[in-house]
Every structure is written in C-alpha cells, then in structure tokens.
Amino acid sequence: MEEGNKNDIVISGGQRPTIMVTNDDGIDAPGLRALVHVLVSTHHFNILVCAPDQDMSAVSHSVTWVHPLSVKQVDIDGATAFAVSVLATGTPADCASLGTSKALFPSVPDLVVLLI
C-alpha cells in the first residue's frame, strides 16, 4: 500500500483497497451492518459484502456441495452486497468462496473480514 496524502489510503495503481466483509450471523446482523457503515463512512475503501441470508452460527466451515446456491443482491448503503442461500441458506464458507472467486464481484478483494 502507498499513502497519497495523509487522509488517503491507496494501493499500487492509485486505487482504494477493496475489503469484503462476511459473517456467520447473516446479512441483516447488526454487527455486520455497523462494521460496513463505519468502513463506508471513512471513504478509504471499496466495500463488498457477501453473507448468508440468515443466521448460520456453528456451521461456518461447512461447504455446500450438492445443492445449487442462490444469490440475491441486497441494499446496503455504500457497499455492493449479496445474500447467499441454498435451499435453507448458504454457509459462511460458501460466501467467502463466492466473494473471492470473481463470480459475484469484478475483482478479488484485497482483504476479507469475517465476523464470528
């Protein structure tokens, strides 16, 4: 990372770093929404969110193999966000995998933050 002026954080090429946020408590969890709000409000980062469509605590490492995943765009101010489900719901591992695969977002994030 380079530093432009004292208030700007940039990576090589002059772009803002991209942070993807995910969790195991679901897309509507207050902690996820609060973190995204704070990160967006800094204006230093491009924020991506890919989280389960509902609470998936205690199954964070599970991966969906057989059933197809469903992805729905979600409105979170200042961020590009998706909720993932499979029959009942997608797992946090599914979200991390999709979010870093370029299947949902045009580039791989510079940093992934997992709230558990």
Side-chain angles (χ1 to χ4, degrees), residues 56-65 69 89-97:
M56 291 299 290
S57 295
V59 294
S60 295
H61 292 95
S62 298
V63 178
T64 303
W65 288 101
L69 294 169
T89 194
T91 69
D94 293 333
C95 296
S97 178

Side-chain angles (χ1 to χ4, degrees), residues 1-11 15-17 39-45:
M1 290 181 141
E2 306 165 357
E3 207 169 317
N5 70 44
K6 72 178 196 176
N7 295 323
D8 290 337
I9 298 172
V10 295
I11 57 174
Q15 298 178 353
R16 295 185 299 169
L39 290 171
V40 167
S41 70
T42 69
H43 303 286
H44 290 304
F45 311 102

